[in-house]
Amino acid sequence: FKTADDLYIVKTLEKTEYTFILGILDKYVGHLTRMGGEVNSSLLVKFVGMFSIKKNRKIRLIAMQVSCSRSDQSCQATAYCPSEPQLLI
């Protein structure tokens, strides 16, 4: 799901993805902290929240800040932002 203003994406996570992100979280936060004022130039996705909701089954969600929208022309000069999603192998 993407917010109407194209600033955030909310994605469902499998249990393995959720566990993986929890496992790298300390290093991720450390990296962004070391970048200080340059954090916005990082090509890493910006995680802004991780949640789990239990109704009939457990649903895990992650909220991420979009680093580059297709309508943002200034972004294309500073970061890789393909016009179409691509699989990099």
Side-chain angles (χ1 to χ4, degrees):
F1 306 101
K2 191 188 295 189
T3 58
D5 58 8
D6 288 340
L7 294 178
Y8 299 94
I9 294 174
V10 177
K11 177 193 178 308
T12 57
L13 296 172
E14 297 294 326
K15 184 176 183 178
T16 54
E17 293 172 305
Y18 186 84
T19 303
F20 175 79
I21 291 171
L22 285 177
I24 66 165
L25 204 53
D26 285 338
K27 288 183 180 181
Y28 170 84
V29 170
H31 170 74
L32 294 180
T33 301
R34 284 189 301 279
M35 291 193 73
E38 300 297 318
V39 71
N40 289 331
S41 66
S42 174
L43 296 179
L44 291 177
V45 67
K46 311 302 185 299
F47 298 126
V48 294
M50 215 160 63
F51 315 91
S52 76
I53 302 168
K54 187 172 183 178
K55 190 160 182 164
N56 296 333
R57 64 183 183 95
K58 187 179 259 187
I59 300 172
R60 295 167 188 87
L61 303 166
I62 190 161
M64 301 172 282
Q65 183 179 4
V66 175
S67 60
C68 182
S69 70
R70 293 180 186 171
S71 62
D72 184 1
Q73 297 300 316
S74 65
C75 177
Q76 294 179 5
T78 59
Y80 175 69
C81 183
S83 58
E84 294 297 322
Q86 298 176 356
L87 178 61
L88 303 176
I89 300 176

